[in-house]
Amino acid sequence: MGGAEYVQQALAGLGQAAGGGVDPALPLYATTFVVVDLETTGGAPDGGGITEIGAVKVRGGEELGVLATLVNPGVPIPPFITVLTGITQAMLVPAPPIEQVLPSFLEFVADAVLVAHNAPYDVGFLKAACARHGYRWPNPRVLDTAALARRVLSRDEVPNRKLGTLAAYFRTATRPTHRALDDALATVDVLHGLIARLGGHRVDTVGEAIEFARAVTPTQRRKRHLADGLPKAPGVYIFRAADDRPLYVGTSGDIATRVRSYFTAAEKRARMSEMLAAAERVEAVECAHSLEAEVRELRLIGAHAPPYNRRSKFPERMVWLKLTDGPYPRLSVVRSLADGDEAYLGPFGSRRAAELAAAGFHDALPLRQCTHRLSLRTVTPACALAELGRCPAPCEHRITPEEYAARAVDPFRAATATDPGSVVHALLARIGALAADQRYEEAAVVRARLAAVLRATVRMQRLTALAGIAELAAARPAARGGWELALVRHGRLAGAGVSPPGVHPRPTIELIRATAETVPPGPGPVPRASAEESERILSWLERPETRLVEMSSGWVSPAAGAARFRDLLSKIENAASHQLSTERP
């Protein structure tokens, strides 16, 4: 191109519909690439500054189309740009502005992988132009030949990764001239030369090529073969060490895709890098649907305690807050419940959370806090709490067991099993009194205790309602047709499956029932499952699209239960979060 002329050609491909993405599993030889190069005024990508666009569409080594045009940037061309590119102000006067060029360009790149040398520069200008002039950026997959060359070619082969250097190395048909179309054509030959080298690195698809171009560690590159042959299905994956010990357990709706992500630049966690170095193989356990996968993940983590899973996922850390036996019961933090336990709250994820809730009950109810074993015949010296009026001093028999039960024990039982209203109102009154005295820090402490009480009671009553159902069958529409099915017994997932599209799910439900796990009842709100498992099941059941098919008994919760205080709990948690954010420096 020269003088005042500009050429805008689209020899092929302009009729394709915009939108849609490129499957990352598409082989490189079947992928459509649009190789683009821009010339600019040299400024920052602010929506303007483009002086020339050159783009070449190729697939399988064959050129499919060309789009080339000068662009009037609407601003003077700096002299050094004219010296570098040969583009003068006079050449750009009759050229169209970028807002007139973008529609053709966006149509040209539709359903293709965008390729550029130092792609962030070119893509940055194009995205800014779209944003400035109201065009939606199609967000195509982008392959950077400069980054790819850094991975494929050694310093012994090329001294640097400049386009001119690579063009000379690959002996491109067109030499780079700092003009958009010439540079795009040269980049096409460079791209083909780099793709020819990717086979030796076991990179065969466009997704693998894009990830290969990114900065990954030598360990990720060496171990990426561990993702080979895994199913593209929902389930659980287990990274195992040389001695077959589980290192990490995860779940995904697509096992193969998720495991491959551990070997890409997107994975930057230091612990995962350490885990990959120790891993020798990946085991996949296919599941019927996402709920079964999530439950199996929790059970495997609980059974094997993999060292690289978050410790908070381990159910053995759960504790309970329960009333002890005896004439004057007190609150005690325990790790498990027995068949005879009736007054309790939990489970809590940590001892600290249980103790915070216990402090809330101590603020609201005259429960003794000492750990002495009290007798109805022997008097024990009172502690300081009795002198301060914070304890009715059952140790000195100042209160009868009947009065103690009415004032302290029965309200705790009612708060945990049915209605926590008396405890909530007592704590709210205490917060109000402290705030009225301008003792705001103490009021915030009581507020945190109230939140702990409400959080635990809401959770336990939800779990109890589910665990009380001997058997529940539910269905949810599957993404590809048919139904995802779950059979739940006493809060535990006993069976799972998927009924095919166009087939009534009843036969599949009966088959699941016949092969499902036998789950007997037991003590507590989660007698035969972890709290996390039952909560995952509840989340699945409570989705709008889930249908309850059969239940052995009604699914009921207390009419005046803790759930009626959910709005209050949300307000408390939001207030605490706001306070924390304002206190941070």
Side-chain angles (χ1 to χ4, degrees):
M1 295 176 290
E5 298 179 356
Y6 68 90
V7 179
Q8 181 169 315
Q9 298 176 337
L11 302 183
L14 287 180
Q16 297 177 2
V22 176
D23 185 353
L26 192 66
L28 287 166
Y29 65 81
T31 300
T32 300
F33 297 99
V34 170
V35 182
V36 65
D37 185 82
L38 305 181
E39 300 301 331
T40 70
T41 56
D46 58 359
I50 299 175
T51 60
E52 188 176 29
I53 296 178
V56 183
K57 181 177 293 188
V58 293
R59 183 175 61 240
E62 179 184 355
E63 184 179 298
L64 303 180
V66 174
L67 185 150
T69 179
L70 290 168
V71 180
N72 189 337
V75 296
I77 305 299
F80 77 93
I81 294 294
T82 298
V83 172
L84 178 68
T85 65
I87 299 175
T88 66
Q89 192 72 43
M91 293 168 60
L92 299 180
V93 170
I98 188 62
E99 59 266 31
Q100 294 182 15
V101 175
L102 282 174
S104 296
F105 175 78
L106 294 176
E107 189 175 10
F108 190 70
V109 303
D111 298 323
V113 174
L114 197 62
V115 180
H117 199 72
N118 293 317
Y121 181 84
D122 299 272
V123 172
F125 270 89
L126 292 168
K127 290 177 68 174
C130 286
R132 181 174 180 178
H133 298 289
Y135 291 98
R136 185 185 68 83
W137 176 247
N139 199 29
R141 299 187 186 276
V142 177
L143 182 60
D144 187 347
T145 50
L148 192 59
R150 282 192 288 271
R151 303 285 174 254
V152 171
L153 302 176
S154 67
R155 287 287 182 182
D156 294 334
E157 294 174 291
V158 289
N160 57 61
R161 276 71 176 181
K162 295 179 180 179
L163 181 58
T165 303
L166 297 178
Y169 178 79
F170 287 112
R171 300 179 181 179
T172 61
T174 303
R175 304 292 294 178
T177 61
H178 291 293
R179 293 299 300 272
L181 184 58
D182 285 347
D183 288 6
L185 289 168
T187 305
V188 169
D189 290 342
V190 169
L191 172 66
H192 290 155
L194 293 172
I195 288 177
R197 299 286 293 270
L198 289 177
H201 296 274
R202 302 180 67 184
V203 174
D204 302 310
T205 68
V206 62
E208 291 172 343
I210 292 172
E211 291 298 339
F212 185 80
R214 297 174 180 172
V216 297
T217 65
T219 299
Q220 288 175 306
R221 202 177 302 283
R222 188 175 69 255
K223 295 291 186 73
R224 66 192 304 270
H225 68 277
L226 298 181
D228 294 346
L230 296 176
K232 293 180 66 65
V236 177
Y237 54 90
I238 308 164
F239 283 88
R240 292 187 179 273
D243 59 359
D244 224 30
R245 176 171 49 96
L247 298 172
Y248 182 81
V249 178
T251 182
S252 175
D254 184 335
I255 296 174
T257 300
R258 181 68 186 97
V259 172
R260 277 199 299 267
S261 72
Y262 287 90
F263 305 97
T264 67
E267 180 52 75
K268 301 181 183 300
R269 293 172 291 177
R271 284 181 59 81
M272 290 298 101
S273 297
E274 183 181 324
M275 183 274 293
L276 291 176
E280 291 297 328
R281 71 182 183 92
V282 179
E283 176 183 342
V285 180
E286 290 190 50
C287 298
H289 45 68
S290 61
L291 175 60
E292 185 187 8
E294 291 174 9
V295 168
R296 285 188 179 275
E297 178 196 31
L298 289 172
R299 293 179 185 177
L300 286 168
I301 291 173
H304 300 288
Y308 293 96
N309 281 97
R310 289 187 296 111
R311 298 298 302 174
S312 59
K313 284 188 174 184
F314 297 151
E316 69 270 13
R317 297 186 62 187
M318 295 297 158
V319 296
W320 302 81
L321 190 63
K322 72 164 219 173
L323 284 177
T324 60
D325 297 328
Y328 297 106
R330 63 178 177 85
L331 292 178
S332 175
V333 179
V334 298
R335 291 201 169 274
S336 61
L337 297 176
D339 289 335
D341 292 332
E342 296 180 356
Y344 50 80
L345 182 63
F348 295 90
S350 67
R351 188 178 186 89
R352 181 180 178 183
E355 290 173 346
L356 188 62
F361 282 106
H362 288 143
D363 283 340
L365 304 174
L367 286 162
R368 70 180 180 97
Q369 301 182 44
C370 62
T371 58
H372 300 297
R373 190 173 184 85
L374 303 185
S375 169
L376 293 177
R377 288 183 288 186
T378 305
V379 174
T380 304
C383 62
L385 290 175
E387 301 302 325
L388 295 173
R390 297 287 305 277
C391 179
C395 51
E396 293 187 341
H397 297 175
R398 297 184 196 177
I399 185 173
T400 66
E402 292 76 18
E403 290 174 322
Y404 183 83
R407 292 175 55 190
V409 176
D410 293 343
F412 176 83
R413 292 177 183 272
T416 56
T418 54
D419 183 6
S422 62
V423 173
V424 172
H425 296 312
L427 291 174
L428 288 175
R430 182 167 175 76
I431 293 170
L434 291 170
D437 292 340
Q438 298 185 358
R439 296 160 63 183
Y440 300 118
E441 291 185 0
E442 294 178 65
V445 171
V446 178
R447 182 184 66 191
R449 294 171 179 175
L450 173 57
V453 170
L454 281 177
R455 199 178 296 115
T457 51
V458 168
R459 184 189 195 196
M460 189 177 80
Q461 290 181 8
R462 290 181 73 239
L463 294 172
T464 301
L466 179 64
I469 303 173
E471 183 177 283
L472 179 153
R476 177 172 174 259
R480 298 182 179 179
W483 292 87
E484 297 178 356
L485 304 171
L487 191 72
V488 182
R489 290 173 175 170
H490 295 296
R492 181 180 178 88
L493 185 65
V498 177
S499 65
V503 177
H504 197 282
R506 177 66 62 182
T508 308
I509 293 175
E510 294 302 327
L511 179 61
I512 295 171
R513 177 177 287 115
T515 57
E517 178 183 359
T518 299
V519 182
V526 282
R528 302 302 177 190
S530 67
E532 287 83 358
E533 175 175 336
S534 294
E535 285 181 319
R536 298 288 177 90
I537 294 171
L538 278 169
S539 297
W540 192 84
L541 293 174
E542 290 171 348
R543 292 177 182 175
E545 64 272 21
T546 301
R547 303 290 183 264
L548 298 180
V549 181
E550 292 177 345
M551 288 191 295
S552 59
S553 61
W555 189 348
V556 295
S557 296
R564 64 192 174 102
F565 292 109
R566 276 184 171 176
D567 289 343
L568 174 62
L569 177 60
S570 296
K571 291 178 181 178
I572 294 173
E573 291 176 333
N574 290 336
S577 176
H578 176 72
Q579 179 182 358
L580 182 62
S581 64
T582 56
E583 289 176 352
R584 287 175 178 167

